[in-house]
Amino acid sequence: MSDKIVIFGITGSIGTNTERLVRAYSDKFEIIGCSAGKNITLLNEIILRHQSLKAVAVSDAADAEKVKFSGEIYSGEEGIIRLLDLAPDKIVMALPGKSGWKITIEAIKRGIPVCLANKESLVIAGYYLGQKVTSDRTKIIPIDSEHAALMQLLEKCDRETLAKVYITASGGALRDMSAAEMENADAAAALRHPVWSMGQKVTIDSATMLNKGLELFEAFWLFDVEPEKLDVLVHPSVNVHAALLFKDGSAISQNAVGNMLVPIAAALSYPEMLDVAEKFPEMNFEFTGKNMTFQKPDLIKYPLLKTAFELLRNRDFSGMVAYAISDETAVSKFLKGEIKVRGIHQTVQAATARFSGLKPPSSIEEISDFIKEIEDFAI
């Protein structure tokens, strides 16, 4: 019997790859619901391919009339959440930024496993949910390539033997610039990612390496690893996605082709493994000819990553939320050409300084109020 899936954000990079994977494994999965942003043309194409769909949702009510679907059509935040009423076997949370956290919490409350590609959900709601929940793979299964890799590695090792837990970073579009050049870079430069094809926000976050900060926080919540053991390695060729260093000096890593089909498959099929390389031969990892060089990140050039390490090691959960939310405001201004990279650095650093060390919000209402307070400050 196939698993019934709801995909939140089906027209984005994660969503389209998930839809592609579901088509390849139609005997194992079927999509019964999905949400989309502004790309209604692509949504309509997807609808034609999936007779199993029972309901779809769009962000803007004005776009609902453009959707060509005979089933239920919802709109707005409340409409998107209504997709959970379909009672899927699991959901894929691929909405960008802060837009996914309420749905993630509600799905967990209803006992629906969340395949999570939305870092901000855990950063915002991690304290509220608690590590017993966030580290439970029956509740949250990571889709990020680094965290999917860590899931495979950490479940097969003795935690007592760990010395370091590494996630890797491509370095983003600005990695070959000096610190001074990077501070003055604009959106056009920051959006030219050398490896991944992603949404605008995550591509900008990759350029500033703020995304690695979010991923460090995510790894803390997902795997209950001591902050002092979490670290980042810059690995431009993205052949290695995570690595573990042991107390005896030996190390192991997870290597995979730089394509999101691999981590999506790992999440959808967990705890089993799909034969992805059989159906998609280009996913087969070839060791020959691979570049396996690594560097420590330059924390002067990437001050927001330095800020993330400080927040993590201080277990400053309110500061982590401020880090994530203020970045959304800063990136929005950056994409409009109102600020350069320097402005992103300044906005996030000011917000984390202002909201660090506070008692983290402990209810959905408090989280919403706290987000609004940070947004008002960051403007």
Side-chain angles (χ1 to χ4, degrees):
M1 192 170 178
S2 57
D3 282 347
K4 294 174 172 56
I5 309 292
V6 168
I7 302 174
F8 292 90
I10 198 165
T11 57
S13 175
I14 298 295
T16 53
N17 274 299
T18 304
E19 189 263 342
R20 183 185 175 200
L21 196 77
V22 167
R23 280 189 283 127
Y25 291 93
S26 58
D27 59 323
K28 296 181 180 296
F29 311 107
E30 61 178 346
I31 303 171
I32 60 169
C34 64
S35 78
K38 300 301 290 183
N39 196 343
I40 306 303
T41 300
L42 179 55
L43 174 62
N44 285 332
E45 291 174 9
I46 291 169
I47 287 170
L48 288 174
R49 294 197 288 263
H50 295 276
Q51 298 302 309
S52 56
L53 276 167
K54 299 180 184 302
V56 301
V58 291
S59 302
D60 192 335
D63 289 326
E65 297 176 1
K66 304 173 189 174
V67 179
K68 298 175 182 177
F69 182 57
S70 59
E72 296 289 343
I73 303 173
Y74 308 131
S75 63
E77 184 180 69
E78 289 185 6
I80 292 171
I81 290 179
R82 284 185 68 184
L83 292 174
L84 294 176
D85 294 341
L86 296 172
D89 294 305
K90 60 189 68 168
I91 70 167
V92 173
M93 172 44 63
L95 295 176
K98 69 177 185 294
S99 55
W101 70 272
K102 285 184 183 178
I103 299 168
T104 298
I105 288 176
E106 184 60 27
I108 290 169
K109 282 184 175 179
R110 297 189 190 196
I112 303 169
V114 180
C115 298
L116 188 68
N118 176 272
K119 305 173 184 69
E120 289 85 350
S121 285
L122 273 189
V123 178
I124 292 167
Y127 182 83
Y128 170 77
L129 291 170
Q131 251 174 344
K132 283 188 177 179
V133 171
T134 62
S135 62
D136 184 345
R137 295 290 80 80
T138 67
K139 295 179 172 64
I140 299 177
I141 313 158
I143 282 181
D144 269 345
S145 59
E146 296 83 0
H147 300 90
L150 281 180
M151 180 173 67
Q152 290 182 335
L153 294 173
L154 288 168
E155 291 192 354
K156 295 175 174 63
C157 80
D158 178 357
R159 294 295 191 93
E160 294 299 314
T161 65
L162 284 176
K164 279 284 184 183
V165 174
Y166 292 104
I167 55 175
T168 60
S170 69
L174 309 179
R175 67 189 182 201
D176 295 326
M177 290 185 179
S178 67
E181 289 171 330
M182 179 178 163
E183 282 201 335
N184 289 300
D186 60 11
L191 286 169
R192 289 193 287 268
H193 197 286
V195 180
W196 298 105
S197 175
M198 307 178 290
Q200 287 189 321
K201 182 183 183 294
V202 68
T203 305
I204 300 302
D205 289 346
S206 176
T208 62
M209 282 188 71
L210 179 137
N211 72 318
K212 286 303 134 180
L214 295 175
E215 288 172 11
L216 286 169
F217 304 156
E218 188 179 6
F220 169 78
W221 288 116
L222 284 171
F223 304 113
D224 196 13
V225 176
E226 297 95 323
E228 297 75 19
K229 291 183 178 179
L230 288 167
D231 211 341
V232 173
L233 289 170
V234 177
H235 176 53
S237 55
V238 298
N239 294 308
V240 175
H241 300 279
L244 305 180
L245 178 67
F246 297 102
K247 290 178 180 178
D248 68 354
S250 64
I252 59 173
S253 64
Q254 193 263 20
N255 308 332
V257 173
N259 188 299
M260 289 307 296
L261 282 178
V262 177
I264 292 168
L268 283 184
S269 63
Y270 181 86
E272 297 176 5
M273 182 180 284
L274 296 177
D275 57 346
V276 177
E278 266 188 42
K279 289 191 183 276
F280 302 94
E282 68 274 21
M283 295 299 107
N284 200 51
F285 186 82
E286 298 289 346
F287 284 91
T288 55
K290 290 292 191 293
N291 186 336
M292 294 290 186
T293 58
F294 304 87
Q295 300 88 37
K296 290 184 178 181
D298 182 343
L299 298 184
I300 295 174
K301 181 176 174 179
Y302 298 105
L304 298 182
L305 182 56
K306 180 181 180 182
T307 299
F309 277 120
E310 292 167 353
L311 292 170
L312 185 67
R313 285 163 188 167
N314 290 332
R315 288 176 169 78
D316 190 339
F317 304 126
S318 63
M320 292 178 192
V321 178
Y323 182 91
I325 298 301
S326 62
D327 175 62
E328 290 211 27
T329 301
V331 169
S332 177
K333 291 161 72 174
F334 181 69
L335 288 168
K336 293 174 186 173
E338 296 173 7
I339 58 174
K340 299 290 181 68
V341 168
R342 180 191 300 110
I344 299 177
H345 292 168
Q346 291 170 340
T347 299
V348 175
Q349 288 175 321
T352 52
R354 165 66 179 80
F355 295 101
S356 283
L358 303 179
K359 183 180 181 294
S362 55
S363 70
I364 290 175
E365 294 75 18
E366 285 183 8
I367 294 172
S368 295
D369 290 344
F370 191 45
I371 287 172
K372 180 66 166 57
E373 190 178 356
I374 296 165
E375 288 175 332
D376 290 344
F377 177 85
I379 289 171

